[in-house]
Amino acid sequence: MKQHKKTAAGVIALMGLAATAALLSGCGAKEGADGKTVIEIVQYKPEAVKAFEALEEKFNATHDDIELKIDSPNDAMTILKTRFIREDYPEIIGIGGDINYSNFLDSDMLMDISDYQGLSEIKESYLRTDKELEFIPYDGVYAVPYMANAAGVLYNKDIFDEHGWTIPTTLDEFYKLCDDIQAAGIQPLYFGFKDTWTCFAPWNAICVDLAPSDICSQVNAGTAKFADAYRPVAEVTKSLLQYAQADPYAYSYNDACTAFARGESAMYVIGSYAVPQIKSVNPDINIDSFVFPASNNADENLLNSGNDLQWSVMAGMEDKKDAIYEVLDFLYEDENIQTYLDDQSAVPCKKGDFELPSMLDGMKEYIENDKMADYQDHHYPSEMAVDAMIQTFLMDDSENALDTFLERFDTEWVRYNRDLVTKVQKFYEEHPEKLTEGGEE
């Protein structure tokens, strides 16, 4: 079975383990006590454990030759990396479309599944998102997007209906709406910037309209700078402070959710993931959402939506491919996707007519028409602490704050991605035709 020598190096780099760690090797086919082929999934969404327990039970009740085991542990990424070092591989992993996926792929840990027929039913934007997460362009496909989430602006529909406010479709219309809300004596926006990660919510939602979705790849290739691409993003992000509560850095994510739930602001720039927290405070709040209109050309606006959960097959599992694909087929059956949607209020990556939560009504047009782009922070290394950099920029009222922030972004990117940048630029020096193709196959 396929050896995983490059995989070992990748995992060691990911975990900071000593170079003496054992080389990884493929595993033989596992069989259950009754001779069934065992397919194990380890997925990183512990909050969805009940939904996956139901799907596992349903699969095993309807399949005689395959036994499905779905594990949904806390801190799944750490557990997965530890298991890889121990040569204890699940057949399928369920992770997000973020830099962890990029690192696993770059370490040759994942199997090419481009022959999986179910890929034809996945929305193109989510497939494109995974291609943009490749450090260098790869032949093939290495993940099947399953579920996404969406971020933009949540709004209190009752407050909007009471005042007759309409949904803005351009940035100028959004500013005008905020002015009207202030004039009515209502707080337009509330932020929880004490938790630095929440700074990503407006940042990402604005990036999809104003910055290239592959800007990180362009910077790695040496063909662009963040100082140019992120200038309008930073300007618009900071402009929102004039409509925020006083000292948004004194309030946490939970504080902001609570304030919005209690009607203390008309809008909240955050992802759909915040709705359960908001409704835990006020179950009766009437929430809807809209895409953040960062452009003054309404046709250019995109929904900020990324792969929240996707399936990858571990390299070296070719002998179990038929059984693995049968499991994937089951997971992508419409009624099984709906089971997950009902449990987690997610966005399906599969094409089709699914019942979405009402809070996404204002985003349905973008979801149905596949007008979406990924979260920029899915490309950022955690060590770079970009969220803290954004918070520092927002708190800086000095004349040179914008230039300082943008220059720092480029400097810190090279600092934390030095080896990657060198690798990418060497690749394009050897394959200049790939650079002119935009890195796509």
Side-chain angles (χ1 to χ4, degrees):
M1 189 163 289
K2 180 179 177 181
Q3 295 295 309
H4 291 256
K5 294 182 179 180
K6 293 180 71 176
T7 299
V11 174
I12 292 167
L14 288 168
M15 300 185 68
L17 298 177
T20 56
L23 292 177
L24 303 183
S25 59
C27 303
K30 292 177 281 189
E31 287 191 0
D34 53 3
K36 293 183 178 181
T37 299
V38 176
I39 301 298
E40 182 188 11
I41 296 176
V42 177
Q43 67 87 25
Y44 85 132
K45 304 283 286 182
E47 65 271 24
V49 62
K50 291 184 178 179
F52 282 117
E53 286 176 347
L55 290 173
E56 176 188 293
E57 181 179 358
K58 181 179 178 181
F59 181 93
N60 289 329
T62 54
H63 292 76
D64 296 330
D65 56 344
I66 303 171
E67 180 183 353
L68 176 61
K69 294 182 178 180
I70 304 179
D71 297 320
S72 308
N74 293 316
D75 202 9
M77 296 308 302
T78 298
I79 290 173
L80 278 172
K81 293 170 187 177
T82 301
R83 286 186 58 173
F84 296 159
I85 290 297
R86 294 175 179 171
E87 305 179 29
D88 180 17
Y89 298 97
E91 283 69 29
I92 303 172
I93 58 173
I95 61 176
D98 55 26
I99 199 164
N100 285 304
Y101 169 73
S102 304
N103 285 323
F104 288 161
L105 179 59
D106 190 57
S107 300
D108 290 343
M109 299 184 69
L110 308 179
M111 189 172 87
D112 180 5
I113 53 174
S114 54
D115 62 343
Y116 175 58
Q117 294 185 356
L119 288 167
S120 64
E121 299 184 75
I122 305 302
K123 292 177 180 177
E124 181 59 35
S125 63
Y126 296 123
L127 295 173
R128 183 174 63 249
T129 288
D130 278 333
K131 296 304 291 182
E132 290 177 349
L133 285 166
E134 297 175 359
F135 292 145
I136 58 176
Y138 276 72
D139 291 316
V141 177
Y142 298 84
V144 193
Y146 192 56
M147 294 292 163
N149 52 28
V153 183
L154 301 180
Y155 70 96
N156 188 313
K157 197 169 186 303
D158 290 339
I159 293 178
F160 268 59
D161 290 347
E162 179 184 350
H163 291 84
W165 292 323
T166 57
I167 303 306
T169 59
T170 66
L171 182 60
D172 286 344
E173 289 178 4
F174 181 77
Y175 289 148
K176 176 62 166 57
L177 171 62
C178 290
D179 290 336
D180 291 344
I181 293 172
Q182 278 186 332
I186 300 172
Q187 181 68 50
L189 303 173
Y190 212 99
F191 293 113
F193 288 161
K194 181 179 180 180
D195 291 325
T196 56
W197 68 266
T198 66
C199 297
F200 278 141
W203 177 265
N204 285 323
I206 293 166
C207 274
V208 296
D209 293 343
L210 301 183
S213 60
D214 65 344
I215 181 58
C216 294
S217 295
Q218 291 185 35
V219 171
N220 287 339
T223 61
K225 289 186 175 295
F226 289 116
D228 299 322
Y230 279 167
R231 182 171 293 274
V233 177
E235 290 173 337
V236 174
T237 301
K238 197 158 193 173
S239 74
L240 301 183
L241 294 178
Q242 64 187 308
Y243 301 113
Q245 82 275 23
D247 195 9
Y249 319 102
Y251 299 90
S252 68
Y253 167 71
N254 286 342
D255 294 332
C257 288
T258 298
F260 180 72
R262 292 175 176 171
E264 295 178 25
S265 71
M267 298 180 290
Y268 186 13
V269 184
I270 202 72
S272 56
Y273 50 81
V275 172
Q277 176 66 26
I278 294 166
K279 289 201 168 186
S280 72
V281 177
N282 180 6
D284 298 323
I285 186 172
N286 188 4
I287 301 175
D288 203 342
S289 59
F290 60 86
V291 172
F292 194 103
S295 170
N296 270 321
N297 181 345
D299 292 336
E300 294 179 353
N301 291 328
L302 298 172
L303 171 62
N304 185 197
S305 180
N307 296 337
D308 190 44
L309 177 62
Q310 57 186 21
W311 308 115
S312 290
V313 179
M314 297 304 299
M317 297 294 175
E318 286 81 3
D319 59 333
K320 303 176 77 172
K321 186 168 69 171
D322 290 345
I324 289 169
Y325 284 6
E326 189 168 342
V327 169
L328 292 177
D329 286 342
F330 170 83
L331 291 172
Y332 282 92
E333 290 176 7
D334 286 0
E335 63 179 25
N336 295 331
I337 286 180
Q338 192 64 55
T339 294
Y340 188 97
L341 295 178
D342 293 342
D343 185 73
Q344 293 293 304
S345 298
V347 177
C349 296
K350 181 183 177 181
K351 304 170 187 175
D353 185 17
F354 296 99
E355 184 177 346
L356 302 179
S358 60
M359 60 163 181
L360 295 176
D361 284 349
M363 298 177 172
K364 279 185 178 179
E365 174 189 350
Y366 291 82
I367 295 170
E368 292 172 352
N369 293 317
D370 204 10
K371 296 177 60 177
M372 298 173 282
D374 195 18
Y375 299 77
Q376 284 282 308
D377 71 299
H378 284 176
H379 299 261
Y380 303 157
S382 59
E383 299 85 357
M384 188 173 164
V386 176
D387 52 351
M389 288 172 53
I390 295 172
Q391 183 200 57
T392 299
F393 161 65
L394 295 176
M395 297 174 70
D396 187 352
D397 294 327
S398 67
E399 182 178 349
N400 297 322
L402 178 60
D403 289 336
T404 299
F405 167 69
L406 293 171
E407 290 170 7
R408 183 186 175 196
F409 210 113
D410 277 308
T411 301
E412 294 291 280
W413 185 265
V414 173
R415 176 186 175 191
Y416 287 100
N417 294 277
R418 188 176 306 278
D419 291 344
L420 174 60
V421 170
T422 299
K423 174 180 178 175
V424 170
Q425 294 188 7
K426 180 180 179 181
F427 172 85
Y428 284 120
E429 287 174 4
E430 296 173 351
H431 305 278
E433 75 282 359
K434 297 295 184 182
L435 188 59
T436 59
E437 293 169 7
E440 296 182 3
E441 299 300 321

